[in-house]
């Protein structure tokens, strides 16, 4: 239900394309990286630090460092994620 493609990781930034299927409900995540998520296609429900927002194509979600967050996919979607610093755990 999740496909990730690291598009680039240079300097202290990482750009990742994530394809998620409708019905996916992620576990609570928390990491030291700052994250910006751009909804390229579809719609999702983001819960960030206990606040829930429904995002659709063209919307952006900022996730601060060390803040709990999770995603629920309402429609098949493509999300473009930017992380700083680079998430070593996503590099193959």
């Amino acid at each position: 239900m999740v496909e990730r493609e690291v598009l680039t990781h240079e300097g202290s930034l990482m750009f990742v394309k994530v394809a998620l299927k409708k019905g996916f409900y992620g576990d609570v995540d928390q990491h030291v990286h700052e994250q910006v998520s751009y909804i390229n296609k579809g719609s999702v429900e983001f819960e960030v630090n206990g606040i829930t927002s429904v995002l659709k194509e063209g919307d952006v979600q900022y996730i601060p460092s060390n803040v709990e967050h999770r995603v629920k996919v309402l429609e098949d979607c493509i999300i473009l994620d930017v992380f700083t610093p680079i998430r070593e755990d996503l590099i193959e």
Side-chain angles (χ1 to χ4, degrees):
M1 294 191 90
V2 178
E3 292 181 26
R4 283 190 181 93
E5 178 185 359
V6 175
L7 300 174
T8 189
H9 54 92
E10 307 256 349
S12 64
L13 293 173
M14 173 180 256
F15 193 46
V16 181
K17 179 180 176 181
V18 184
L20 299 166
K21 295 290 184 186
K22 179 180 178 178
F24 175 79
Y25 192 45
D27 295 331
V28 173
D29 197 14
Q30 184 177 2
H31 44 73
V32 298
H33 315 84
E34 286 182 277
Q35 178 178 343
V36 174
S37 296
Y38 172 79
I39 311 307
N40 189 60
K41 175 185 171 187
S43 65
V44 297
E45 181 180 280
F46 259 102
E47 183 182 335
V48 179
N49 207 22
I51 299 170
T52 302
S53 303
V54 174
L55 305 174
K56 59 184 181 352
E57 187 174 320
D59 290 338
V60 175
Q61 175 69 58
Y62 170 68
I63 303 167
S65 175
N66 290 313
V67 170
E68 288 188 350
H69 57 283
R70 71 186 319 168
V71 66
K72 178 180 178 182
V73 180
L74 306 175
E75 297 175 32
D76 287 358
C77 69
I78 295 175
I79 300 175
L80 301 174
D81 283 328
V82 177
F83 296 97
T84 188
I86 291 173
R87 285 192 58 169
E88 299 291 339
D89 61 316
L90 297 181
I91 299 174
E92 295 180 17

